Amino acid sequence: MRVIFNEELGLVADDLDRMALSVRDAIKKAGRSMLKCDVETAQEVIDGDADIDRLHASIIDQCIRLLAKQSPVATDLRVVVSTLSLSATFERMGDLARHIAETARRSYPDPTLPEEVVPLFQQMQEFLDVLADRLVDMLSDRDTTIAERIIINDDKMDKLHQKTFEYALSDDWRGSRQQLIDMVLVARFMERLGDHGVSAARRVVYIVSGFDPSKDPRDLDSDLD
Amino acid sequence: MRVIFNEELGLVADDLDRMALSVRDAIKKAGRSMLKCDVETAQEVIDGDADIDRLHASIIDQCIRLLAKQSPVATDLRVVVSTLSLSATFERMGDLARHIAETARRSYPDPTLPEEVVPLFQQMQEFLDVLADRLVDMLSDRDTTIAERIIINDDKMDKLHQKTFEYALSDDWRGSRQQLIDMVLVARFMERLGDHGVSAARRVVYIVSGFDPSKDPRDLDSDLD
């Protein structure tokens, strides 16, 4: 069910879809550049972030124009306000992908991560690749089933993130201090990408159902963990 | 110059001021708890974050009601849209303060940071204390002079943040791996608090002047560094 109210809102929705596609590519390429020491791909992600920022600025302008000219109410209003929020989330996800790519570029030609920890980060990246695909599908179809799957799956990323710390503190750690710093930051960027994915999924549930799962009291509790 | 258009908008503005005050306290207490190994204060920040989240949820509801009922245009619309964005920024700043407090609580009774690096983090915290005060003043007065000062001063934090890496990689480093992990993360949280402060300042410039300094082309360039 695609919720389009009029031509102008349809154009913003197209831009938001375009943004999701760009962010998906940035996430996949950033992970690959870091895991494969591929500096050209890293540079592509870094250069491409400006396009994501421009799309974000254009979406804000379009939403404000829509609010001023059409004074939407009910579902239409929910869509416009949620579009502002989704666009901000995607912009931030683009930044995080860029940060990962920047780390890959800085460490090049050395690998960003010590060899032993690469399989763990590959698992994290596989999680993010699936998330990135789901975000695109969820958005173009306003599909709450996909959104709910994203929300439920989030603790997998948290567990993988936790493992990076356990590894860094174990006797098996062989990396340099620079690698420890990079690993901690990249793991954080990846975990934040997962969080933002969940936040985007909640937004889509809110658009479609009018219920905001971020206000679920259980959820507020878990946020305090 | 305080821009209040009607009673209802005044109530949201009051809530946003309240949020800024809570975030200011959280930032100051989080830094103190970490630098002084004060676990009670850390716990206060952690517990208090739920109030900030509730204020955020209430501000979103109020803004959506305002948009639906009053269909604001021009400056009124800018204020409502910016209030949504400022509230999201403050909510995130509350989270970051909580993360710092959680790190202090986890390391307690050991100090979070090795002794040698404490003066550097004290400088970062002094920067954030001033920023937190300025955010409150800027917001209650819609004062673009303060906002511009926040925007200009941001590179001080970036330089201090850079120094934490230099120190961690130098021969002077004596800390444990756990301390290195905590230091890298806390420095990142503090740097992000600075970034969010700048983003809030830009929002206030936008409310007052209608010009969005985040779209300054020079700024887009510096974001690519």
Side-chain angles (χ1 to χ4, degrees):
Chain A
M1 169 194 49
R2 169 127 199 191
V3 191
I4 295 186
F5 310 96
N6 58 47
E7 204 182 325
E8 214 165 336
L9 203 47
L11 292 176
V12 192
D14 288 344
D15 271 354
L16 196 64
D17 286 349
R18 212 165 287 142
M19 212 175 164
L21 283 168
S22 300
V23 169
R24 181 194 66 183
D25 291 350
I27 289 173
K28 293 188 174 186
K29 284 182 181 171
R32 206 169 63 215
S33 75
M34 193 253 308
L35 291 165
K36 309 251 180 215
C37 297
D38 175 352
V39 75
E40 282 82 16
T41 303
Q43 193 60 47
E44 263 180 59
V45 175
I46 295 164
D47 295 341
D49 190 41
D51 292 333
I52 296 175
D53 291 347
R54 269 189 288 270
L55 265 174
H56 177 49
S58 155
I59 287 170
I60 295 176
D61 285 346
Q62 291 174 73
C63 286
I64 292 180
R65 250 203 324 270
L66 267 169
L67 288 168
K69 278 168 53 187
Q70 307 198 8
S71 306
V73 293
T75 312
D76 299 26
L77 178 56
R78 272 214 306 273
V79 170
V80 177
V81 170
S82 296
T83 300
L84 281 169
S85 155
L86 282 165
S87 178
T89 298
F90 290 152
E91 190 271 333
R92 189 69 204 124
M93 292 178 92
D95 286 347
L96 289 163
R98 172 166 57 82
H99 292 334
I100 294 170
E102 282 166 343
T103 313
R105 184 179 64 178
R106 196 175 50 236
S107 60
Y108 182 83
D110 293 326
T112 307
L113 304 170
E115 209 181 320
E116 306 81 37
V117 89
V118 167
L120 178 55
F121 277 78
Q122 264 161 349
Q123 277 181 277
M124 292 170 79
Q125 186 58 39
E126 278 159 26
F127 179 93
L128 290 179
D129 286 352
V130 172
L131 172 69
D133 284 330
R134 281 184 179 161
L135 284 175
V136 168
D137 294 343
M138 166 188 85
L139 206 69
S140 63
D141 302 336
R142 297 279 186 271
D143 185 335
T144 54
T145 321
I146 302 180
E148 279 154 17
R149 206 172 304 151
I150 292 174
I151 296 170
I152 290 167
N153 266 352
D154 183 48
D155 66 333
K156 276 193 199 156
M157 180 52 117
D158 293 340
K159 280 180 191 142
L160 292 169
H161 185 217
Q162 194 50 44
K163 275 195 191 168
T164 64
F165 294 125
E166 286 162 20
Y167 187 84
L169 295 171
S170 76
D171 293 339
D172 298 332
W173 175 259
R174 297 275 175 277
S176 65
R177 258 184 274 162
Q178 180 67 64
Q179 283 178 319
L180 182 54
I181 294 173
D182 286 342
M183 187 186 87
V184 168
L185 287 176
V186 166
R188 170 85 189 152
F189 299 147
M190 294 173 96
E191 186 235 358
R192 290 296 298 151
L193 279 171
D195 288 344
H196 281 296
V198 170
S199 142
R202 284 184 173 143
R203 251 316 133 179
V204 168
V205 174
Y206 170 75
I207 293 177
V208 176
S209 71
F211 166 70
D212 183 351
S214 76
K215 285 186 207 151
D216 185 327
R218 284 166 302 172
D219 197 73
L220 278 175
D221 285 341
S222 77
D223 211 29
L224 286 171
D225 281 348
Chain B
M1 168 195 51
R2 170 130 198 187
V3 192
I4 296 183
F5 310 95
N6 58 46
E7 205 182 326
E8 214 164 336
L9 202 47
L11 291 176
V12 193
D14 289 344
D15 271 354
L16 196 65
D17 285 349
R18 212 166 286 140
M19 211 174 165
L21 283 168
S22 299
V23 168
R24 181 195 65 184
D25 291 351
I27 289 173
K28 291 187 175 187
K29 284 181 181 171
R32 208 170 60 218
S33 75
M34 192 254 307
L35 291 165
K36 309 252 181 215
C37 296
D38 176 351
V39 76
E40 283 83 16
T41 304
Q43 193 60 48
E44 263 180 61
V45 175
I46 295 163
D47 294 341
D49 190 40
D51 292 333
I52 296 175
D53 291 348
R54 269 188 289 270
L55 267 174
H56 177 48
S58 156
I59 287 170
I60 295 177
D61 285 346
Q62 290 174 73
C63 285
I64 291 180
R65 251 203 324 271
L66 267 169
L67 288 169
K69 278 169 52 187
Q70 307 198 9
S71 306
V73 292
T75 312
D76 299 27
L77 177 57
R78 271 213 307 271
V79 171
V80 178
V81 170
S82 296
T83 299
L84 281 169
S85 154
L86 283 166
S87 179
T89 299
F90 290 152
E91 191 270 333
R92 189 71 204 123
M93 293 178 92
D95 286 348
L96 289 164
R98 172 166 57 82
H99 292 334
I100 294 170
E102 283 167 342
T103 313
R105 184 179 64 177
R106 194 174 54 234
S107 60
Y108 181 83
D110 293 328
T112 308
L113 305 169
E115 210 182 318
E116 306 81 38
V117 87
V118 167
L120 178 55
F121 278 78
Q122 264 162 349
Q123 277 182 276
M124 291 170 80
Q125 187 59 38
E126 278 159 26
F127 178 94
L128 291 179
D129 286 351
V130 172
L131 172 69
D133 284 330
R134 281 184 180 160
L135 284 175
V136 169
D137 294 343
M138 167 188 84
L139 206 70
S140 63
D141 302 336
R142 299 278 186 270
D143 186 335
T144 54
T145 321
I146 302 179
E148 279 154 16
R149 207 171 304 151
I150 292 174
I151 296 169
I152 290 166
N153 266 351
D154 182 49
D155 66 334
K156 277 193 197 154
M157 181 51 119
D158 293 341
K159 281 181 190 141
L160 291 169
H161 185 217
Q162 196 49 44
K163 276 194 190 171
T164 63
F165 294 126
E166 287 162 18
Y167 188 83
L169 295 171
S170 77
D171 294 339
D172 297 332
W173 176 261
R174 297 276 175 278
S176 65
R177 258 184 273 163
Q178 180 68 63
Q179 283 178 318
L180 182 53
I181 293 173
D182 286 340
M183 186 186 88
V184 167
L185 287 176
V186 166
R188 169 86 190 151
F189 299 147
M190 294 173 96
E191 187 235 357
R192 289 296 299 151
L193 280 171
D195 287 346
H196 281 296
V198 170
S199 141
R202 283 184 174 146
R203 251 315 133 181
V204 168
V205 174
Y206 170 75
I207 292 178
V208 176
S209 72
F211 166 71
D212 183 351
S214 76
K215 286 186 205 150
D216 185 327
R218 283 166 303 171
D219 198 72
L220 277 176
D221 285 340
S222 77
D223 211 29
L224 287 171
D225 281 349

